[in-house]
Amino acid sequence: MDVQALARTRETNVDRILSTLRGEGGYDGQIVVVTYYGLDYADAFGDVTLGLDSRIAEVAKANSADVADGYRAFERRANEAGGDSVEAGLVLPNDVHPTEEGQRLLADAVTAVVEE
């Protein structure tokens, strides 16, 4: 896997979406970008996820968007299950999508940064 190419593609896509919303769309309200959560917090790949997340956060901030930390939202619960987000009930088995509980944790992360 070419992580650098993946990172550049993600950055470009997030920047394109946000700049379109802000520019052409004329939207000046709050936008919250959610970063990636980990599937296996015991795996060294987590460092790559954090690297992708930090670049996404930089692009978000450059476009006046706030950031909800998906990685940290799952971290404690996953680590209680040996680092495994599936075992923690946060990610569907044989999938990458969050369960209802995982969705709730991500929603809580968003709510924490939403301006009232």
Side-chain angles (χ1 to χ4, degrees), residues 37-43 70-91 101 105:
Y37 47 86
L39 298 176
D40 184 354
Y41 287 79
D43 186 354
Y71 192 86
R72 299 286 178 229
F74 279 24
E75 187 174 37
R76 182 185 60 79
R77 292 276 303 278
N79 282 333
E80 289 172 355
D84 189 330
S85 292
V86 173
E87 287 296 317
L90 304 175
V91 175
E101 180 60 22
L105 290 177

Side-chain angles (χ1 to χ4, degrees), residues 26-39:
Y27 183 73
D28 65 354
Q30 186 178 25
I31 297 172
V32 178
V33 174
V34 181
T35 61
Y36 292 103
Y37 47 86
L39 298 176

Side-chain angles (χ1 to χ4, degrees), residues 100-112:
E100 286 186 29
E101 180 60 22
Q103 291 171 33
R104 277 191 282 282
L105 290 177
L106 295 172
D108 289 346
V110 170
T111 300

Side-chain angles (χ1 to χ4, degrees), residues 2-86:
D2 183 353
V3 176
Q4 295 301 326
L6 174 64
R8 284 189 299 275
T9 299
R10 299 289 189 228
E11 291 170 39
T12 299
N13 291 344
V14 171
D15 185 58
R16 182 178 299 131
I17 292 165
L18 294 175
S19 62
T20 299
L21 287 170
R22 294 288 188 211
E24 293 172 31
Y27 183 73
D28 65 354
Q30 186 178 25
I31 297 172
V32 178
V33 174
V34 181
T35 61
Y36 292 103
Y37 47 86
L39 298 176
D40 184 354
Y41 287 79
D43 186 354
F45 194 73
D47 293 339
V48 173
T49 302
L50 289 173
L52 290 171
D53 283 354
S54 70
R55 294 295 300 141
I56 289 170
E58 290 174 23
V59 171
K61 290 181 185 303
N63 285 280
S64 301
D66 294 312
V67 178
D69 193 336
Y71 192 86
R72 299 286 178 229
F74 279 24
E75 187 174 37
R76 182 185 60 79
R77 292 276 303 278
N79 282 333
E80 289 172 355
D84 189 330
S85 292
V86 173

